[in-house]
Amino acid sequence: MAWVFLVVAGLFEMFGVAMINRLNKHRNLLSFALLFLGFGASFLFLSLAMKSLPMGTAYAVWTGIGASGGAILGMLLYGEAKDWRRIICIIMILGAAVGLKLIA
């Protein structure tokens, strides 16, 4: 169950990152509430995952999901460059996260 919590934490991290962009465009209470909800849920699920996963592994996987997911969201939703080198880097980040899961 810890790995499910960790993936959910990473997805909420991605949501929180997207809400930072929303808050920068729309300075209103809803944007702030969504930002707070996204990162709050992310930390909640990360803490649940860390009850049984090693801290270093959990944090690295969570960060990897958030960083690569944020980059993917930027490419899909916000018109950021879809250069093949960026995609290779994202694949390397996700590969490292999978590698940590296989080792832990």
Side-chain angles (χ1 to χ4, degrees):
M1 196 64 174
W3 285 102
V4 173
F5 288 150
L6 190 56
V7 170
V8 170
L11 294 174
F12 274 114
E13 179 77 5
M14 289 171 53
F15 178 77
V17 168
M19 293 305 101
I20 290 173
N21 193 43
R22 177 189 166 103
L23 184 65
N24 283 331
K25 292 179 180 180
H26 308 286
R27 297 255 178 205
N28 58 34
L29 188 58
L30 177 61
S31 297
F32 180 75
L34 290 172
L35 173 79
F36 186 78
L37 172 75
F39 285 123
S42 180
F43 282 116
L44 171 69
F45 282 101
L46 177 62
S47 70
L48 293 173
M50 288 175 60
K51 288 184 178 187
S52 59
L53 293 175
M55 183 270 305
T57 301
Y59 182 73
V61 171
W62 175 71
T63 304
I65 293 170
S68 59
I72 291 168
L73 286 177
M75 288 188 284
L76 295 177
L77 301 178
Y78 303 113
E80 294 180 9
K82 296 176 182 84
D83 185 72
W84 66 271
R85 292 170 290 194
R86 290 186 80 194
I87 295 169
I88 294 295
C89 290
I90 292 168
I91 290 169
M92 289 182 350
I93 292 169
L94 292 174
V98 169
L100 285 170
K101 193 246 184 265
L102 294 174
I103 293 170

XYZ file of all heavy atoms in Angstrom:
787
model
N 0.829 -1.201 0.000
C 0.000 0.000 0.000
C 0.869 1.260 0.000
O 0.439 2.296 -0.507
C -0.926 -0.046 1.215
C -2.055 0.908 1.148
S -3.130 0.479 -0.236
C -4.424 1.613 0.015
N 2.066 1.149 0.560
C 2.950 2.322 0.637
C 3.290 2.847 -0.747
O 3.367 4.070 -0.951
C 4.217 1.974 1.405
N 3.491 1.941 -1.704
C 3.824 2.401 -3.060
C 2.638 3.094 -3.717
O 2.814 4.052 -4.469
C 4.335 1.231 -3.901
C 5.727 0.863 -3.505
C 6.106 -0.185 -2.723
C 6.916 1.586 -3.824
N 7.465 -0.165 -2.555
C 7.992 0.911 -3.227
C 7.187 2.729 -4.565
C 9.306 1.337 -3.349
C 8.502 3.157 -4.688
C 9.537 2.461 -4.080
N 1.435 2.638 -3.429
C 0.236 3.320 -3.937
C 0.166 4.725 -3.342
O -0.076 5.700 -4.068
C -1.041 2.512 -3.607
C -2.293 3.294 -3.970
C -1.022 1.168 -4.321
N 0.389 4.835 -2.024
C 0.407 6.152 -1.388
C 1.458 7.056 -2.023
O 1.224 8.245 -2.221
C 0.685 6.033 0.111
C -0.446 5.479 0.928
C -0.192 4.765 2.086
C -1.770 5.667 0.559
C -1.230 4.257 2.860
C -2.820 5.159 1.313
C -2.542 4.457 2.467
N 2.607 6.481 -2.343
C 3.688 7.276 -2.919
C 3.331 7.783 -4.318
O 3.585 8.943 -4.649
C 4.978 6.465 -2.952
C 6.242 7.216 -3.305
C 6.473 8.399 -2.374
C 7.437 6.270 -3.274
N 2.725 6.942 -5.130
C 2.304 7.373 -6.468
C 1.219 8.438 -6.365
O 1.251 9.445 -7.076
C 1.830 6.162 -7.312
C 1.162 6.623 -8.599
C 3.008 5.247 -7.626
N 0.272 8.254 -5.459
C -0.782 9.261 -5.253
C -0.155 10.576 -4.792
O -0.532 11.654 -5.263
C -1.846 8.751 -4.257
C -2.804 9.862 -3.857
C -2.609 7.582 -4.856
N 0.833 10.501 -3.899
C 1.541 11.708 -3.448
C 2.201 12.406 -4.623
O 2.148 13.641 -4.740
C 2.582 11.347 -2.389
N 2.812 11.643 -5.517
C 3.443 12.226 -6.700
C 2.432 12.879 -7.630
O 2.694 13.947 -8.195
N 1.269 12.258 -7.782
C 0.230 12.849 -8.638
C -0.292 14.159 -8.039
O -0.532 15.127 -8.772
C -0.902 11.842 -8.849
C -0.522 10.596 -9.647
C -1.687 9.606 -9.663
C -0.081 10.948 -11.056
N -0.472 14.179 -6.718
C -0.878 15.433 -6.082
C 0.222 16.491 -6.185
O -0.070 17.684 -6.276
C -1.286 15.217 -4.622
C -2.718 14.815 -4.451
C -3.051 13.560 -3.970
C -3.746 15.689 -4.770
C -4.370 13.180 -3.812
C -5.077 15.325 -4.611
C -5.391 14.063 -4.135
N 1.476 16.057 -6.181
C 2.596 16.988 -6.386
C 2.492 17.631 -7.769
O 2.673 18.831 -7.928
C 3.915 16.241 -6.226
C 5.139 17.092 -6.433
C 5.450 17.979 -5.250
O 4.783 17.880 -4.211
O 6.377 18.795 -5.375
N 2.192 16.817 -8.773
C 2.001 17.342 -10.131
C 0.843 18.346 -10.156
O 0.946 19.400 -10.772
C 1.702 16.200 -11.110
C 2.864 15.303 -11.401
S 2.399 13.834 -12.342
C 1.524 14.519 -13.731
N -0.240 18.005 -9.488
C -1.390 18.900 -9.417
C -0.993 20.217 -8.754
O -1.352 21.305 -9.230
C -2.527 18.220 -8.641
C -3.743 19.080 -8.480
C -4.618 19.264 -9.525
C -4.006 19.715 -7.271
C -5.753 20.057 -9.379
C -5.127 20.505 -7.110
C -6.000 20.678 -8.169
N -0.235 20.126 -7.663
C 0.213 21.335 -6.969
C 1.071 22.222 -7.855
O 0.920 23.446 -7.854
N 1.958 21.609 -8.626
C 2.808 22.377 -9.542
C 1.945 23.084 -10.587
O 2.168 24.257 -10.906
C 3.858 21.465 -10.198
C 4.561 22.152 -11.345
C 4.870 20.997 -9.155
N 0.954 22.375 -11.119
C 0.052 23.001 -12.090
C -0.718 24.165 -11.452
O -0.974 25.188 -12.098
C -0.921 21.967 -12.655
N -1.044 24.030 -10.173
C -1.775 25.100 -9.488
C -0.880 26.318 -9.200
O -1.394 27.431 -9.089
C -2.414 24.577 -8.201
C -3.527 23.566 -8.424
S -4.854 24.161 -9.524
C -4.438 23.362 -11.067
N 0.423 26.123 -9.113
C 1.319 27.281 -9.016
C 1.173 28.129 -10.272
O 1.069 29.361 -10.201
C 2.794 26.837 -8.835
C 3.015 26.219 -7.462
C 3.740 28.025 -9.031
C 4.392 25.605 -7.296
N 1.137 27.463 -11.419
C 0.965 28.186 -12.683
C -0.391 28.885 -12.722
O -0.492 30.039 -13.140
C 1.107 27.222 -13.861
C 1.254 27.947 -15.175
O 1.984 28.925 -15.270
N 0.566 27.467 -16.178
N -1.430 28.199 -12.250
C -2.760 28.810 -12.217
C -2.775 30.036 -11.307
O -3.357 31.070 -11.648
C -3.787 27.787 -11.740
C -5.183 28.369 -11.621
C -6.131 27.398 -10.930
N -7.343 28.068 -10.541
C -8.496 27.958 -11.192
N -8.587 27.194 -12.248
N -9.562 28.606 -10.758
N -2.142 29.908 -10.135
C -2.110 31.024 -9.186
C -1.383 32.228 -9.774
O -1.781 33.372 -9.542
C -1.457 30.590 -7.870
C -1.436 31.635 -6.757
C -2.861 31.961 -6.306
C -0.624 31.131 -5.578
N -0.334 31.985 -10.550
C 0.385 33.087 -11.183
C -0.477 33.806 -12.222
O -0.295 35.000 -12.459
C 1.676 32.593 -11.838
C 2.762 32.341 -10.822
O 2.807 32.978 -9.781
N 3.621 31.387 -11.112
N -1.404 33.087 -12.833
C -2.277 33.689 -13.845
C -3.562 34.258 -13.255
O -4.098 35.237 -13.747
C -2.621 32.657 -14.914
C -1.438 32.258 -15.753
C -1.815 31.227 -16.781
C -0.581 30.874 -17.595
N -0.852 29.886 -18.605
N -4.080 33.607 -12.224
C -5.354 33.999 -11.622
C -5.174 34.116 -10.112
O -5.314 33.136 -9.385
C -6.447 32.963 -11.917
C -6.589 32.624 -13.354
N -7.168 33.466 -14.261
C -6.201 31.524 -14.051
C -7.150 32.900 -15.457
N -6.565 31.721 -15.358
N -4.895 35.285 -9.652
C -4.691 35.513 -8.214
C -6.047 35.616 -7.523
O -6.590 36.707 -7.352
C -3.893 36.796 -7.985
C -2.515 36.748 -8.551
C -1.554 36.573 -7.439
N -0.204 36.475 -8.000
C 0.759 35.881 -7.395
N 0.568 35.378 -6.215
N 1.939 35.793 -7.942
N -6.599 34.459 -7.166
C -7.872 34.453 -6.456
C -7.871 33.356 -5.394
O -6.947 32.533 -5.322
C -9.046 34.299 -7.435
C -8.938 33.038 -8.266
O -8.458 32.009 -7.823
N -9.414 33.119 -9.505
N -8.890 33.331 -4.596
C -8.970 32.395 -3.477
C -9.045 30.946 -3.952
O -8.434 30.061 -3.343
C -10.180 32.741 -2.597
C -10.296 31.983 -1.291
C -9.064 32.184 -0.424
C -11.540 32.416 -0.549
N -9.753 30.685 -5.029
C -9.869 29.317 -5.534
C -8.502 28.776 -5.949
O -8.154 27.639 -5.621
C -10.846 29.254 -6.708
C -10.982 27.879 -7.366
C -11.508 26.841 -6.367
C -11.876 27.957 -8.589
N -7.728 29.584 -6.656
C -6.397 29.138 -7.084
C -5.520 28.830 -5.882
O -4.809 27.818 -5.862
C -5.731 30.214 -7.952
O -6.463 30.414 -9.127
N -5.566 29.684 -4.877
C -4.774 29.452 -3.666
C -5.256 28.193 -2.944
O -4.444 27.381 -2.483
C -4.846 30.657 -2.732
C -4.045 30.470 -1.479
C -2.663 30.557 -1.501
C -4.676 30.170 -0.286
C -1.922 30.350 -0.352
C -3.943 29.965 0.870
C -2.555 30.060 0.836
N -6.560 27.998 -2.865
C -7.109 26.823 -2.187
C -6.705 25.534 -2.906
O -6.339 24.542 -2.267
C -8.632 26.934 -2.100
N -6.746 25.552 -4.237
C -6.345 24.377 -5.004
C -4.851 24.083 -4.835
O -4.445 22.921 -4.730
C -6.698 24.553 -6.481
C -8.191 24.529 -6.798
C -8.428 24.920 -8.259
C -8.792 23.178 -6.499
N -4.046 25.130 -4.792
C -2.611 24.976 -4.556
C -2.374 24.334 -3.190
O -1.624 23.359 -3.059
C -1.913 26.329 -4.635
C -0.444 26.361 -4.255
C 0.409 25.855 -5.392
C -0.041 27.769 -3.885
N -3.016 24.862 -2.176
C -2.883 24.342 -0.816
C -3.365 22.898 -0.743
O -2.721 22.043 -0.123
C -3.678 25.237 0.149
C -3.492 24.880 1.585
C -2.345 25.253 2.266
C -4.464 24.173 2.262
C -2.162 24.913 3.602
C -4.307 23.828 3.592
C -3.148 24.198 4.267
N -4.487 22.591 -1.381
C -5.028 21.237 -1.405
C -4.049 20.268 -2.066
O -3.788 19.185 -1.545
C -6.367 21.211 -2.147
C -6.951 19.824 -2.407
C -7.527 19.246 -1.123
C -7.996 19.884 -3.492
N -3.509 20.668 -3.214
C -2.592 19.788 -3.942
C -1.353 19.446 -3.144
O -1.007 18.269 -2.979
N -0.676 20.461 -2.617
C 0.546 20.189 -1.868
C 0.254 19.576 -0.503
O 1.022 18.730 -0.032
C 1.397 21.452 -1.737
C 2.102 21.805 -3.014
C 1.918 23.048 -3.597
C 2.952 20.913 -3.645
C 2.569 23.376 -4.773
C 3.604 21.227 -4.816
C 3.406 22.462 -5.395
N -0.861 19.955 0.119
C -1.225 19.350 1.398
C -1.482 17.857 1.245
O -0.987 17.045 2.033
N -2.236 17.484 0.225
C -2.512 16.067 -0.024
C -1.230 15.329 -0.400
O -1.013 14.179 0.007
C -3.557 15.920 -1.126
N -0.369 15.994 -1.149
C 0.897 15.380 -1.534
C 1.737 15.038 -0.312
O 2.250 13.913 -0.177
C 1.669 16.328 -2.464
O 2.900 15.750 -2.837
N 1.872 15.990 0.607
C 2.647 15.730 1.820
C 1.971 14.682 2.708
O 2.653 13.866 3.335
C 2.881 17.023 2.607
C 3.969 17.872 2.011
C 3.672 19.122 1.507
C 5.278 17.417 1.958
C 4.666 19.912 0.956
C 6.280 18.204 1.402
C 5.976 19.450 0.900
N 0.650 14.697 2.764
C -0.062 13.696 3.560
C 0.243 12.287 3.060
O 0.624 11.403 3.831
C -1.572 13.958 3.526
C -2.433 12.853 4.137
C -2.240 12.789 5.645
C -3.885 13.047 3.780
N 0.087 12.073 1.750
C 0.322 10.746 1.198
C 1.798 10.369 1.237
O 2.133 9.198 1.425
C -0.245 10.639 -0.219
C -1.737 10.444 -0.236
C -2.592 11.503 -0.500
C -2.291 9.200 0.033
C -3.959 11.334 -0.498
C -3.667 9.016 0.039
C -4.503 10.085 -0.227
N 2.692 11.343 1.090
C 4.119 11.057 1.241
C 4.416 10.576 2.653
O 5.148 9.604 2.847
C 4.960 12.294 0.907
C 6.472 12.137 1.102
C 7.049 11.054 0.200
C 7.167 13.477 0.854
N 3.833 11.227 3.642
C 4.084 10.816 5.026
C 3.523 9.417 5.293
O 4.131 8.634 6.021
C 3.506 11.834 6.009
O 2.101 11.809 6.001
N 2.385 9.090 4.693
C 1.832 7.738 4.845
C 2.750 6.702 4.200
O 2.975 5.622 4.762
C 0.429 7.659 4.239
C -0.660 8.462 4.942
C -1.954 8.435 4.136
C -0.894 7.942 6.350
N 3.292 7.024 3.044
C 4.198 6.099 2.359
C 5.473 5.886 3.156
O 6.016 4.775 3.209
C 4.519 6.623 0.967
N 5.950 6.961 3.809
C 7.216 6.875 4.533
C 7.107 6.101 5.842
O 8.126 5.839 6.483
C 7.780 8.275 4.776
C 8.320 8.908 3.505
S 8.869 10.597 3.702
C 10.137 10.426 4.923
N 5.911 5.687 6.214
C 5.783 4.847 7.408
C 6.399 3.472 7.186
O 6.812 2.823 8.141
C 4.311 4.715 7.820
C 3.765 5.994 8.414
C 2.359 5.811 8.894
C 1.890 7.133 9.525
N 0.591 6.992 10.151
N 6.448 3.041 5.918
C 7.034 1.725 5.662
C 8.113 1.720 4.584
O 8.762 0.703 4.387
C 5.938 0.718 5.304
O 5.239 1.137 4.166
N 8.301 2.828 3.897
C 9.367 2.918 2.891
C 10.528 3.728 3.450
O 10.308 4.657 4.232
C 8.853 3.592 1.615
C 7.807 2.846 0.815
C 7.321 3.697 -0.347
C 8.363 1.530 0.297
N 11.752 3.414 3.028
C 12.890 4.225 3.457
C 12.735 5.675 2.990
O 12.258 5.933 1.870
C 14.091 3.569 2.780
C 13.639 2.226 2.337
C 12.151 2.308 2.170
N 13.133 6.608 3.834
C 12.976 8.029 3.538
C 13.638 8.414 2.218
O 13.044 9.097 1.393
C 13.556 8.862 4.693
C 13.387 10.363 4.536
S 14.725 11.230 3.675
C 16.152 10.773 4.589
N 14.863 7.978 1.995
C 15.581 8.357 0.783
C 14.893 7.871 -0.478
O 14.759 8.606 -1.455
N 14.438 6.634 -0.463
C 13.735 6.076 -1.617
C 12.418 6.792 -1.852
O 12.104 7.190 -2.978
C 13.481 4.570 -1.410
O 14.729 3.907 -1.228
C 12.743 3.962 -2.586
N 11.634 6.958 -0.791
C 10.329 7.611 -0.926
C 10.484 9.031 -1.451
O 9.771 9.438 -2.376
C 9.602 7.611 0.416
N 11.426 9.773 -0.891
C 11.594 11.157 -1.315
C 12.083 11.237 -2.764
O 11.606 12.068 -3.539
C 12.567 11.886 -0.382
C 12.729 13.337 -0.748
C 11.716 14.245 -0.502
C 13.890 13.792 -1.379
C 11.844 15.574 -0.857
C 14.025 15.113 -1.735
C 13.005 16.012 -1.469
O 13.135 17.308 -1.840
N 13.011 10.370 -3.141
C 13.528 10.395 -4.509
C 12.446 10.052 -5.528
O 12.325 10.703 -6.571
C 14.703 9.432 -4.638
N 11.634 9.045 -5.231
C 10.563 8.663 -6.153
C 9.511 9.762 -6.224
O 9.044 10.132 -7.309
C 9.939 7.308 -5.740
C 8.687 7.005 -6.551
C 10.967 6.192 -5.891
N 9.136 10.314 -5.077
C 8.151 11.403 -5.030
C 8.634 12.609 -5.831
O 7.890 13.179 -6.627
C 7.906 11.760 -3.570
C 7.030 12.930 -3.305
C 5.686 13.023 -3.482
C 7.442 14.192 -2.771
N 5.235 14.255 -3.086
C 6.301 14.996 -2.647
C 8.669 14.714 -2.386
C 6.352 16.293 -2.157
C 8.713 15.999 -1.886
C 7.563 16.779 -1.784
N 9.886 12.970 -5.631
C 10.460 14.095 -6.364
C 10.510 13.802 -7.859
O 10.228 14.674 -8.686
C 11.871 14.414 -5.840
O 11.790 14.666 -4.444
C 12.464 15.613 -6.528
N 10.872 12.575 -8.209
C 10.939 12.200 -9.619
C 9.587 12.280 -10.305
O 9.475 12.782 -11.427
N 8.560 11.783 -9.628
C 7.208 11.862 -10.198
C 6.796 13.326 -10.360
O 6.267 13.726 -11.401
C 6.191 11.098 -9.324
C 6.474 9.607 -9.350
C 4.755 11.374 -9.798
C 5.668 8.798 -8.338
N 7.044 14.125 -9.331
C 6.663 15.536 -9.393
C 7.421 16.304 -10.460
O 6.834 17.079 -11.221
N 8.735 16.083 -10.550
C 9.550 16.821 -11.516
C 9.233 16.405 -12.949
O 9.014 17.259 -13.819
C 11.030 16.605 -11.218
N 9.198 15.109 -13.195
C 8.911 14.659 -14.558
C 7.462 14.960 -14.930
O 7.171 15.379 -16.054
C 9.218 13.178 -14.716
O 8.462 12.403 -13.816
N 6.555 14.773 -13.975
C 5.150 15.089 -14.242
C 4.934 16.557 -14.517
O 4.160 16.930 -15.405
N 5.625 17.421 -13.762
C 5.526 18.860 -14.018
C 6.031 19.222 -15.403
O 5.438 20.048 -16.105
N 7.132 18.593 -15.811
C 7.668 18.857 -17.149
C 6.706 18.370 -18.240
O 6.498 19.053 -19.248
C 9.032 18.194 -17.303
N 6.116 17.203 -18.022
C 5.155 16.673 -18.993
C 3.918 17.565 -19.073
O 3.425 17.870 -20.169
C 4.782 15.217 -18.643
C 5.983 14.295 -18.867
C 3.584 14.745 -19.459
C 5.822 12.900 -18.296
N 3.407 17.993 -17.909
C 2.258 18.910 -17.913
C 2.598 20.209 -18.641
O 1.771 20.747 -19.383
C 1.815 19.223 -16.483
C 1.076 18.129 -15.736
C 0.783 18.574 -14.304
C -0.209 17.753 -16.445
N 3.805 20.713 -18.418
C 4.224 21.932 -19.115
C 4.218 21.759 -20.624
O 3.797 22.649 -21.358
N 4.661 20.597 -21.086
C 4.677 20.341 -22.529
C 3.268 20.162 -23.083
O 2.953 20.664 -24.161
C 5.516 19.099 -22.837
C 6.996 19.323 -22.665
S 8.018 17.962 -23.246
C 7.799 16.770 -21.938
N 2.422 19.449 -22.332
C 1.080 19.152 -22.836
C 0.098 20.307 -22.692
O -0.740 20.522 -23.576
C 0.518 17.922 -22.116
C 1.245 16.599 -22.349
C 0.622 15.490 -21.502
C 1.236 16.234 -23.822
N 0.185 21.035 -21.576
C -0.830 22.042 -21.293
C -0.381 23.477 -21.510
O -1.221 24.355 -21.729
C -1.314 21.891 -19.841
C -1.913 20.544 -19.451
C -2.296 20.539 -17.981
C -3.110 20.210 -20.331
N 0.915 23.739 -21.427
C 1.374 25.127 -21.419
C 2.319 25.478 -22.563
O 2.991 26.498 -22.531
C 2.021 25.452 -20.064
C 1.082 25.208 -18.911
C 1.329 24.196 -17.990
C -0.084 25.955 -18.767
C 0.462 23.956 -16.939
C -0.957 25.714 -17.722
C -0.679 24.714 -16.813
O -1.552 24.471 -15.787
N 2.397 24.617 -23.558
C 3.149 24.928 -24.761
C 4.664 24.945 -24.602
O 5.356 25.571 -25.398
N 5.188 24.273 -23.590
C 6.636 24.216 -23.436
C 7.230 23.306 -24.504
O 6.553 22.441 -25.056
C 6.997 23.731 -22.035
C 6.599 24.705 -20.961
C 6.949 24.237 -19.555
O 7.660 23.224 -19.416
O 6.498 24.892 -18.607
N 8.502 23.490 -24.779
C 9.178 22.754 -25.844
C 9.080 21.249 -25.621
O 9.214 20.767 -24.500
C 10.641 23.178 -25.921
N 8.871 20.523 -26.732
C 8.791 19.065 -26.692
C 10.037 18.457 -27.337
O 9.966 17.449 -28.024
C 7.535 18.590 -27.404
C 6.257 19.032 -26.733
C 5.049 18.609 -27.556
C 3.775 19.073 -26.929
N 3.418 20.442 -27.258
N 11.162 19.063 -27.089
C 12.429 18.627 -27.662
C 12.751 17.200 -27.211
O 12.493 16.820 -26.061
C 13.528 19.593 -27.196
C 14.857 19.278 -27.831
O 14.996 19.536 -29.044
O 15.742 18.757 -27.111
N 13.327 16.407 -28.091
C 13.629 15.014 -27.780
C 14.588 14.892 -26.600
O 14.515 13.918 -25.847
C 14.160 14.277 -29.006
C 15.503 14.763 -29.490
C 15.741 15.755 -30.381
C 16.781 14.268 -29.081
N 17.090 15.920 -30.565
C 17.760 15.016 -29.780
C 17.206 13.279 -28.204
C 19.119 14.798 -29.625
C 18.563 13.058 -28.050
C 19.501 13.805 -28.748
N 15.461 15.874 -26.420
C 16.400 15.818 -25.298
C 15.672 15.977 -23.962
O 16.037 15.328 -22.976
C 17.487 16.880 -25.456
C 18.407 16.569 -26.643
C 19.311 17.705 -26.932
N 18.486 18.792 -27.471
C 18.952 19.856 -28.085
N 20.243 20.029 -28.216
N 18.157 20.768 -28.560
N 14.656 16.809 -23.929
C 13.846 16.933 -22.707
C 13.138 15.626 -22.405
O 13.063 15.192 -21.257
C 12.797 18.043 -22.869
C 13.387 19.438 -22.888
C 12.307 20.476 -22.896
N 11.828 20.612 -21.514
C 10.714 21.223 -21.176
N 9.944 21.770 -22.092
N 10.352 21.308 -19.919
N 12.617 14.999 -23.435
C 11.898 13.734 -23.262
C 12.850 12.647 -22.766
O 12.504 11.870 -21.876
C 11.179 13.338 -24.564
C 10.083 14.377 -24.858
C 10.598 11.933 -24.477
C 9.455 14.288 -26.219
N 14.058 12.597 -23.287
C 15.055 11.626 -22.819
C 15.361 11.852 -21.334
O 15.453 10.899 -20.549
C 16.347 11.709 -23.664
C 16.093 11.263 -25.098
C 17.482 10.899 -23.029
C 15.708 9.813 -25.261
N 15.499 13.104 -20.934
C 15.771 13.410 -19.524
C 14.617 12.979 -18.624
O 14.838 12.444 -17.531
C 16.073 14.895 -19.345
S 17.653 15.384 -20.057
N 13.399 13.197 -19.076
C 12.232 12.756 -18.305
C 12.225 11.241 -18.177
O 11.967 10.700 -17.095
C 10.924 13.272 -18.957
C 10.836 14.787 -18.814
C 9.701 12.581 -18.350
C 9.746 15.417 -19.653
N 12.541 10.547 -19.253
C 12.602 9.080 -19.220
C 13.682 8.619 -18.238
O 13.484 7.647 -17.496
C 12.838 8.515 -20.633
C 11.581 8.731 -21.490
C 13.220 7.035 -20.586
C 11.771 8.458 -22.963
N 14.807 9.318 -18.204
C 15.868 8.950 -17.257
C 15.414 9.145 -15.815
O 15.709 8.314 -14.945
C 17.138 9.757 -17.545
C 17.809 9.321 -18.824
S 19.363 10.135 -19.315
C 19.584 11.498 -18.276
N 14.689 10.234 -15.546
C 14.180 10.472 -14.192
C 13.213 9.356 -13.795
O 13.311 8.791 -12.699
C 13.492 11.849 -14.088
C 14.513 12.970 -14.222
C 12.717 11.983 -12.779
C 13.897 14.346 -14.405
N 12.283 9.036 -14.677
C 11.322 7.975 -14.378
C 12.006 6.615 -14.256
O 11.640 5.805 -13.403
C 10.228 7.936 -15.445
C 9.293 9.145 -15.464
C 8.347 9.075 -16.646
C 8.520 9.251 -14.163
N 13.021 6.382 -15.080
C 13.778 5.137 -14.983
C 14.484 5.006 -13.652
O 14.535 3.922 -13.054
N 15.031 6.110 -13.160
C 15.690 6.089 -11.851
C 14.681 5.798 -10.747
O 14.973 5.047 -9.809
C 16.390 7.421 -11.597
N 13.481 6.361 -10.847
C 12.443 6.112 -9.839
C 12.029 4.640 -9.859
O 11.884 4.012 -8.799
C 11.232 7.012 -10.087
N 11.874 4.079 -11.048
C 11.523 2.646 -11.154
C 12.666 1.799 -10.582
O 12.427 0.822 -9.876
C 11.207 2.267 -12.616
C 11.111 0.759 -12.784
C 9.919 2.934 -13.074
N 13.911 2.183 -10.880
C 15.059 1.453 -10.350
C 15.078 1.452 -8.833
O 15.358 0.426 -8.204
N 14.761 2.580 -8.224
C 14.707 2.640 -6.763
C 13.602 1.740 -6.204
O 13.769 1.130 -5.158
C 14.499 4.074 -6.299
C 15.723 4.977 -6.390
C 15.341 6.420 -6.129
C 16.792 4.517 -5.422
N 12.499 1.658 -6.910
C 11.411 0.780 -6.466
C 11.838 -0.681 -6.543
O 11.559 -1.470 -5.652
C 10.150 1.007 -7.312
C 8.919 0.351 -6.699
C 8.423 -0.757 -7.579
C 7.158 -1.362 -7.071
N 7.328 -2.540 -6.250
N 12.568 -1.025 -7.591
C 13.007 -2.410 -7.748
C 14.038 -2.814 -6.701
O 14.084 -3.966 -6.284
C 13.572 -2.621 -9.156
C 12.568 -2.486 -10.313
C 13.275 -2.574 -11.652
C 11.466 -3.541 -10.198
N 14.845 -1.868 -6.275
C 15.876 -2.153 -5.287
C 15.303 -2.189 -3.878
O 15.694 -2.999 -3.051
C 17.000 -1.095 -5.372
C 17.735 -1.246 -6.702
C 17.965 -1.227 -4.216
C 18.692 -0.104 -6.999
N 14.344 -1.280 -3.580
C 13.826 -1.157 -2.204
C 12.850 -2.251 -1.857
O 12.195 -2.865 -2.565
C 13.144 0.188 -2.033
